[in-house]
Amino acid sequence: QEDFLKLVYKETILVGHSLENDLLALKISHGLVIDTALLYKHPRGGSYKTALRILAKKFLSREIQQSGTGHDSIEDARAAMELALLKIKHGPDFGSPPSFIRTKLLTVLSECGKDSSVIDDVSIVKRYASASSHAFPVNSDDEALSRAIKEVKNDRVHFIWTQFSELNSYFKKQAEDEGKLNAKLAEMISLLTCQKKPANKKDIKCSITSDLKEILTSLDARVRSLYSSLPTNSMLIICTGHGDTAIVRRLRKMLTEKKETTICREKIVKLLEELQAQAEVALCFVGVKN
């Protein structure tokens, strides 16, 4: 336990295979776990689990656990990490039996005789567009709005996906700027530690800069413009996050790198918990135009 706790912090993500056995043996409970025994579903489903050596042979083209003296813990750990990274790289359906693979929404729509259009960054278009959908890579929110309005006027298209990413890009730049990041962290920690809040209201709310206000105003205008272009009886679905995922990733990186900072580690961990809880919440607005 002592050795484990020297290496693993509360915010550390553990990666392994059937880790519940190891954690039970150590008598330790840990909240952040990636378990390849659960990531890679067994063809028979239920509580069945595929052995790590079988997964390694199938997906890594590598034989492990061949020694007559037992398992090599380093070999097992490396195999589990590589399997987890493969899953992250290729998506949740990678390595799943056919019965577990989810059908893309655009494929389902196509099978129902409905045409669809995907308007987004080229990486998103490549990942999610199907052979039966119209794909439109764009480089800006204005370009995305313009193309979306054109597709709305196309009577043959029944479903349109697009994304406005200026706000997310702004958060990314803020998180990458060390000076602005430190100022924002100091403000957040001050709000977190000094304000008395009701137990059911823990969101950290910081001041809105003029740049951010301008971006939000532009975003609002684009949504209004898109809604105005919709024909009667169209459904508009707006999905968005409820937190700053860019700063969450930046804080995780800070903790992983263990660099010296002006803010103590305990405060960063506490702040990360709060921000992560916000970032895990999604908001969805659905409306039908009359």
Side-chain angles (χ1 to χ4, degrees):
Q1 282 187 348
E2 289 181 6
D3 290 339
F4 180 89
L5 295 174
K6 287 177 183 177
L7 295 170
V8 179
Y9 297 95
K10 186 177 181 180
E11 72 278 3
T12 302
I13 299 174
L14 285 182
V15 180
H17 193 82
S18 293
L19 281 173
E20 75 277 7
N21 299 321
D22 304 283
L23 293 174
L24 281 171
L26 288 168
K27 296 182 180 179
I28 288 176
S29 175
H30 191 72
L32 298 176
V33 173
I34 296 178
D35 196 324
T36 50
L38 301 177
L39 280 182
Y40 289 83
K41 303 294 184 183
H42 192 283
R44 295 176 67 179
S47 59
Y48 291 97
K49 295 180 180 179
T50 305
L52 181 61
R53 59 181 174 78
I54 294 176
L55 293 175
K57 184 175 182 179
K58 183 175 182 180
F59 299 109
L60 304 177
S61 301
R62 188 162 76 234
E63 298 278 357
I64 66 170
Q65 301 176 357
Q66 298 298 302
S67 172
T69 58
H71 291 202
D72 182 330
S73 58
I74 296 177
E75 181 183 57
D76 287 358
R78 284 175 176 164
M81 178 62 79
E82 289 178 35
L83 287 166
L85 291 174
L86 277 177
K87 199 77 164 179
I88 293 169
K89 179 180 179 180
H90 297 291
D93 288 332
F94 175 79
S96 298
S99 59
F100 286 91
I101 295 177
R102 298 169 297 176
T103 306
K104 288 183 178 179
L105 171 61
L106 301 185
T107 301
V108 174
L109 290 170
S110 176
E111 291 173 352
C112 296
K114 306 295 183 182
D115 285 349
S116 56
S117 295
V118 181
I119 306 162
D120 211 322
D121 178 79
V122 63
S123 61
I124 302 296
V125 169
K126 283 184 177 180
R127 182 169 183 177
Y128 293 106
S130 65
S132 56
S133 62
H134 308 290
F136 299 99
V138 293
N139 298 310
S140 69
D141 286 2
D142 288 337
E143 193 177 341
L145 174 63
S146 176
R147 172 49 66 178
I149 291 175
K150 288 181 181 178
E151 289 303 291
V152 163
K153 296 176 181 177
N154 186 345
D155 294 336
R156 292 175 296 177
V157 176
H158 302 89
F159 176 83
I160 301 167
W161 158 278
T162 193
Q163 179 177 198
F164 298 136
S165 56
E166 185 180 11
L167 180 61
N168 189 46
S169 298
Y170 169 82
F171 284 142
K172 283 183 178 180
K173 288 180 181 178
Q174 293 290 305
E176 291 166 1
D177 187 313
E178 191 167 342
K180 292 180 179 178
L181 175 66
N182 288 335
K184 188 172 184 178
L185 291 180
E187 182 184 4
M188 288 178 168
I189 289 172
S190 175
L191 289 169
L192 183 64
T193 57
C194 298
Q195 282 189 354
K196 294 182 179 180
K197 302 177 183 179
N200 62 345
K201 191 174 183 180
K202 297 182 179 180
D203 287 2
I204 301 172
K205 297 181 180 179
C206 295
S207 57
I208 297 179
T209 64
S210 57
D211 289 342
L212 179 55
K213 189 172 183 179
E214 184 178 342
I215 290 171
L216 292 173
T217 301
S218 297
L219 177 60
D220 184 60
R222 291 188 184 101
V223 173
R224 287 177 181 274
S225 179
L226 183 57
Y227 179 79
S228 298
S229 68
L230 296 176
T232 304
N233 292 328
S234 295
M235 177 178 286
L236 177 65
I237 303 174
I238 302 176
C239 297
T240 181
H242 184 52
D244 186 345
T245 55
I247 200 169
V248 168
R249 286 192 291 269
R250 187 71 179 86
L251 288 176
R252 286 176 181 167
K253 187 177 180 181
M254 286 172 62
L255 292 171
T256 302
E257 293 175 345
K258 299 180 181 178
K259 289 184 177 180
E260 292 293 330
T261 64
T262 55
I263 304 171
C264 69
R265 183 184 182 87
E266 289 73 18
K267 288 184 178 180
I268 293 177
V269 171
K270 181 62 177 176
L271 182 60
L272 177 59
E273 289 176 353
E274 295 290 339
L275 293 174
Q276 192 164 269
Q278 288 184 33
E280 289 173 351
V281 177
L283 300 176
C284 183
F285 303 90
V286 181
V288 177
K289 186 174 182 180
N290 295 322

